């Protein structure tokens, strides 16, 4: 892989989206394992890497360095293939707009700084490689999957510990005047020590503009977890990150892997929980309902959730109550 192989041996491909790609690599000289994400160098990539570089917290993926590589050529055909892939990054769309001279009022519009030159149907792209710590504990998606498949046990203590770390990371992001905008189990990782590491700052945004006014937003991100206001392209603030966390907390507690997924998630989004949930998990249910409030102002701040977790669950100090009793 050009731009990577000079210093790294690629061990595996960890994930691929639109034009983004994450590799598990081993450094040829220091011998350590890292994750390297390759993204197209756009304004979006610029925000992603700047956020990651400035955030320094035990529950945020640790950033090492970044470098550009500009010797990649992509034919129009390849480009179209990628743009037709469901769930592919919006970069392609933006690029198409760029070439037709059209612009939208999107705050994430990449066109201004996107380097592109048409050459017999080929476009030139600059990539940015972002080197970070390798999170060997996998994603929260994997964690949930293993519990739903009953490969592993889950306890309320473990859930509270993990959720506490997630909320601590999010509190830190918000204290740094940023909004993550793409919180979901796929983007929540575990480090070697099992500690939560929030990753994928591909959609990160500032909370306000230079004048301190809320920024007009567009709906980027995964719609399953997205807050109603983000989905409806309304203006939103950091409370947009609280909504998906309500869904994440629920999913950590309750198996919704069978039956009609779509229906279940839409029920959850409307604060309708499966039978038994509110009885078994009265306190959690109260919190999750608040986090899933339709109006952002009714949702608690990350800081409040964190404080309440400490207050109500006296984390780690109580004997584990096995959740698997419900089976
Ligand atoms: P985009 O920013 O374009 O949305 P993406 O969603 O494909 O890109 P990431 O979420 O950053 O990119 O990474 C994709 C996947 O790669 C993750 O869901 C995770 O499985 C894996 N991954 C990412 N970073 C790491 C890391 N530091 N350690 C281990 N695995 C990682
Ligand atoms: Mg991701
Ligand atoms: Mg992403």
């Amino acid at each position: 892989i050009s731009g990577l192989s000079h210093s790294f041996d690629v061990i595996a491909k960890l994930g691929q989206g639109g034009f983004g790609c994450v590799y598990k690599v081993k450094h040829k000289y220091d011998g350590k394992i890292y994750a390297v994400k390759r993204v197209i160098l756009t304004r979006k990539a610029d925000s992603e890497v700047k956020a990651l570089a400035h955030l320094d917290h035990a529950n945020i993926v640790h950033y090492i360095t970044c470098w550009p590589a500009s010797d990649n050529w992509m034919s129009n055909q390849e480009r179209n293939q990628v743009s037709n892939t469901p769930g592919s990054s919006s970069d392609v769309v933006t690029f198409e707009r760029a070439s037709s001279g059209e612009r939208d009022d999107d705050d994430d519009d990449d066109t201004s700084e996107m380097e592109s030159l048409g050459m017999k149907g080929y476009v030139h792209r600059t990539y940015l490689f972002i080197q970070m710590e390798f999170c060997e504990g996998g994603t929260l998606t994997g964690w949930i999957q293993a519990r739903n498949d009953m490969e592993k046990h889950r306890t309320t203590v473990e859930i509270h510990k993990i959720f506490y770390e997630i909320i601590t990371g999010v509190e830190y992001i918000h204290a740094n005047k940023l909004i993550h905008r793409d919180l979901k189990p796929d983007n929540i990782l575990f480090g070697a020590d099992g500690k939560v590491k929030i990753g994928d700052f591909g959609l990160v945004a500032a909370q306000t503009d230079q004048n301190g006014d809320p920024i007009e937003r567009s709906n980027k991100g995964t719609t399953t977890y997205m807050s109603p206001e983000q989905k409806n392209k309304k203006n939103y603030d950091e409370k947009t990150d609280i909504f998906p966390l309500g869904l994440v907390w629920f999913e950590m507690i309750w198996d919704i892997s069978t039956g009609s997924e779509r229906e279940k998630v839409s029920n959850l989004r409307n604060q309708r929980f499966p039978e038994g949930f509110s009885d078994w998990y009265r306190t959690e249910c109260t919190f999750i309902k608040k986090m899933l409030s339709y109006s952002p102002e009714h949702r608690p701040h990350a800081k409040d959730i964190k404080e309440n977790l400490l207050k109500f669950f006296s984390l780690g100090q109580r004997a584990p109550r096995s959740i698997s009793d419900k089976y």
Side-chain angles (χ1 to χ4, degrees):
I1 297 156
S2 93
L4 188 61
S5 306
H6 53 81
S7 297
F8 299 92
D9 290 319
V10 176
I11 297 169
K13 195 187 250 189
L14 296 167
Q16 171 144 37
F19 277 111
C21 203
V22 182
Y23 301 97
K24 177 182 180 179
V25 299
K26 184 174 182 180
H27 198 282
K28 284 180 179 169
Y29 304 102
D30 73 22
K32 264 186 76 172
I33 303 289
Y34 297 96
V36 173
K37 181 171 180 173
R38 190 186 75 167
V39 292
I40 298 165
L41 187 52
T42 59
R43 208 162 86 186
K44 177 175 174 284
D46 181 74
S47 324
E48 176 169 8
V49 78
K50 282 201 169 93
L52 210 51
H54 285 94
L55 298 175
D56 178 15
H57 190 272
N59 299 119
I60 309 281
V61 170
H62 180 67
Y63 165 83
I64 313 282
T65 189
C66 72
W67 65 92
S70 56
D71 50 353
N72 288 277
W73 295 83
M74 185 180 273
S75 70
N76 271 333
Q77 198 192 346
E78 280 177 277
R79 207 176 76 187
N80 290 335
Q81 265 168 15
V82 183
S83 68
N84 289 332
T85 309
S88 75
S89 139
S90 59
D91 289 331
V92 181
V93 180
T94 322
F95 183 85
E96 303 277 316
R97 283 196 192 124
S99 38
S100 62
E102 215 182 282
R103 287 188 63 102
D104 63 12
D105 54 3
D106 192 292
D107 65 298
D108 300 274
D109 200 317
D110 298 321
T111 56
S112 56
E113 284 173 44
M114 185 177 277
E115 242 182 85
S116 64
L117 42 100
M119 252 183 67
K120 287 185 184 156
Y122 280 75
V123 286
H124 187 219
R125 283 194 178 281
T126 303
Y127 286 96
L128 187 68
F129 287 89
I130 306 170
Q131 185 188 351
M132 44 192 164
E133 72 174 302
F134 173 65
C135 300
E136 63 174 73
T139 65
L140 186 61
T141 307
W143 185 97
I144 292 169
Q145 196 80 58
R147 269 84 195 159
N148 289 350
D149 295 346
M150 300 235 222
E151 279 166 32
K152 290 203 173 128
H153 216 63
R154 64 184 120 194
T155 65
T156 45
V157 167
E158 188 190 8
I159 292 168
H160 292 148
K161 184 192 154 284
I162 293 170
F163 196 71
Y164 182 81
E165 291 183 12
I166 297 172
I167 214 75
T168 305
V170 173
E171 180 194 20
Y172 174 80
I173 295 168
H174 291 175
N176 280 274
K177 298 277 171 254
L178 296 170
I179 316 177
H180 185 284
R181 303 203 296 171
D182 200 14
L183 292 169
K184 55 176 174 176
D186 270 343
N187 293 336
I188 298 168
L189 302 143
F190 294 99
D193 48 4
K195 272 218 163 58
V196 166
K197 307 280 173 179
I198 296 172
D200 195 357
F201 285 78
L203 291 181
V204 72
Q207 286 176 19
T208 54
D209 64 17
Q210 291 101 319
N211 306 318
D213 298 323
I215 297 165
E216 194 150 321
R217 316 280 184 190
S218 63
N219 65 345
K220 298 279 176 75
T222 321
T223 53
T224 319
Y225 290 89
M226 204 184 263
S227 72
E229 68 275 17
Q230 200 173 338
K231 209 166 174 168
N232 298 332
K233 297 190 176 195
K234 298 248 176 66
N235 281 5
Y236 53 83
D237 57 16
E238 75 280 5
K239 291 287 187 70
T240 198
D241 280 343
I242 302 300
F243 189 91
L245 292 182
L247 297 175
V248 165
W249 194 1
F250 177 86
E251 258 191 286
M252 288 173 66
I253 300 171
W254 202 268
D255 183 355
I256 49 162
S257 64
T258 49
S260 168
E261 224 55 47
R262 199 179 287 274
E263 202 178 303
K264 281 177 179 171
V265 173
S266 85
N267 280 340
L268 283 182
R269 292 181 63 93
N270 294 304
Q271 300 177 46
R272 286 194 300 269
F273 300 100
E275 211 177 316
F277 179 73
S278 60
D279 301 326
W280 276 85
Y281 304 99
R282 196 173 295 274
T283 316
E284 286 91 336
C285 190
T286 312
F287 281 120
I288 292 171
K289 267 193 177 154
K290 276 190 197 143
M291 295 171 75
L292 296 178
S293 297
Y294 189 85
S295 319
E297 59 269 28
H298 293 147
R299 290 177 213 143
H301 288 283
K303 190 170 170 287
D304 300 331
I305 301 167
K306 197 179 115 174
E307 281 165 11
N308 278 300
L309 276 169
L310 284 173
K311 196 158 101 197
F312 285 94
F313 298 111
S314 55
L315 289 162
Q317 283 154 33
R318 205 174 55 181
R321 172 164 58 105
S322 171
I323 285 179
S324 58
D325 290 354
K326 78 181 166 80
Y327 294 110

